Amino acid sequence: GGDSKSADRRLSIRSSLRSVKQSKDKNKEKLKDSALGGAGGLVTIGEGEKEGEGVVAEEEDKILTLYRVSMAAQKGNLLCIVGKVGSGKSSCLNALLGDMLCVLGKVSLRGSVSYVSQRPFIQNSTLKDNILFGRVLDEEKYQKVLEVCALLTDLKVLPAGDQTEIGERGINLSGGQKARVALARAVYADTDIVLLDDPLAAVDAHVAQHLFDKCIVDTLLAQEKCVILVTNALQFIKDASKIVVLQDG
């Protein structure tokens, strides 16, 4: 009965995954061509054989993580992804980054991408280097990024301002400071697409409002960036171009 159906389903999933893996190199080339050509700032998940069909799995021996997900965003769009904990919000961003295997439908990004994760990557270097991340310094642009990401106050209290050495994994920064440094890095990178995995949750309410208004709306969207924001702060979704609600993947 039930066990037989579950076994059949797992067998079907594994069979589909094997078929996808056989053409993995070919699909990678197609994705590369897609990333290099066409208008920047286009995000798509779905568009399978049936309307709204999009299935994404993590590994061959795991069950499907996202099922029948369909969304698309153009440059200048703010697409908000909402849902309860464990519903697959972060998995959507992982799928867009190519960290998950698409079984049915398609996942595509066209243009340059920056990503702010829930656990920001902080390198053992100065705060300034963590924001520039190897890019050439444009002082005017840099100061503007510090302002919109609410980091100017932090620079006043840090021992050496933006030349303060940040310990391994940001040990001498608070969670909110790490989130804002990562956000500043994404803004400074000036990419076509910006993927934000709930950075507003790591800061106080008034700081979150500042980041949304000054950084996301007045800076990223004003520059026609395509912004995908994972959030459960419902006060912000009223300004979204599109809203995707996830439930159990």
Side-chain angles (χ1 to χ4, degrees):
D3 292 340
S4 177
K5 289 182 178 179
S6 297
D8 290 343
R9 187 179 179 213
R10 286 195 296 271
L11 183 60
S12 176
I13 291 171
R14 289 194 179 105
S15 177
S16 297
L17 288 168
R18 277 194 295 269
S19 298
V20 171
K21 285 187 175 182
Q22 288 172 358
S23 59
K24 190 175 181 181
D25 292 338
K26 185 177 179 181
N27 289 339
K28 279 187 175 180
E29 287 301 317
K30 288 182 179 179
L31 183 59
K32 183 179 179 181
D33 292 341
S34 176
L36 293 174
L42 176 63
V43 174
T44 306
I45 292 182
E47 295 189 14
E49 294 180 2
K50 298 178 181 178
E51 184 179 357
E53 187 177 78
V55 181
V56 183
E58 287 185 303
E59 297 176 4
E60 182 174 350
D61 58 348
K62 289 188 178 182
I63 62 172
L64 297 179
T65 300
L66 297 173
Y67 177 66
R68 294 188 67 81
V69 175
S70 181
M71 65 183 193
Q74 301 284 347
K75 62 180 182 179
N77 283 175
L78 170 61
L79 189 151
C80 289
I81 303 175
V82 300
K84 65 182 181 180
V85 175
S87 60
K89 301 186 299 295
S90 296
S91 294
C92 269
L93 300 189
N94 290 333
L96 288 169
L97 291 168
D99 291 337
M100 299 173 69
L101 181 64
C102 182
V103 180
L104 296 173
K106 74 173 183 178
V107 178
S108 68
L109 285 175
R110 290 193 296 176
S112 53
V113 183
S114 55
Y115 170 56
V116 179
S117 69
Q118 285 187 0
R119 295 181 179 180
F121 173 76
I122 303 294
Q123 60 181 350
N124 188 7
S125 185
T126 66
L127 185 142
K128 187 173 189 177
D129 287 342
N130 268 281
I131 294 174
L132 298 181
F133 222 58
R135 291 178 171 83
V136 177
L137 173 64
D138 179 329
E139 187 63 35
E140 183 179 353
K141 176 182 176 181
Y142 175 70
Q143 291 299 326
K144 178 66 175 178
V145 168
L146 292 178
E147 177 188 349
V148 300
C149 293
L151 283 168
L152 292 177
T153 302
D154 297 277
L155 296 186
K156 295 177 182 178
V157 299
L158 288 173
D162 65 359
Q163 293 302 311
T164 301
E165 287 285 337
I166 307 302
E168 187 176 354
R169 291 181 292 181
I171 194 170
N172 53 336
L173 294 180
S174 69
Q177 287 173 326
K178 285 188 279 191
R180 283 178 282 131
V181 168
L183 183 60
R185 179 191 305 150
V187 176
Y188 192 86
D190 196 24
T191 56
D192 301 313
I193 303 165
V194 184
L195 307 180
L196 305 176
D197 197 351
D198 210 4
L200 304 181
V203 298
D204 296 335
H206 70 283
V207 178
Q209 190 67 57
H210 172 91
L211 294 177
F212 185 81
D213 292 340
K214 301 299 182 182
C215 179
I216 295 176
V217 176
D218 292 348
T219 302
L220 295 176
L221 296 179
Q223 295 173 358
E224 289 290 289
K225 308 299 184 185
C226 177
V227 181
I228 312 296
L229 173 65
V230 168
T231 183
N232 274 329
L234 300 183
Q235 66 269 30
F236 300 129
I237 65 174
K238 60 182 175 60
D239 295 306
S241 310
K242 298 179 181 180
I243 302 170
V244 174
V245 181
L246 294 180
Q247 181 176 357
D248 301 325

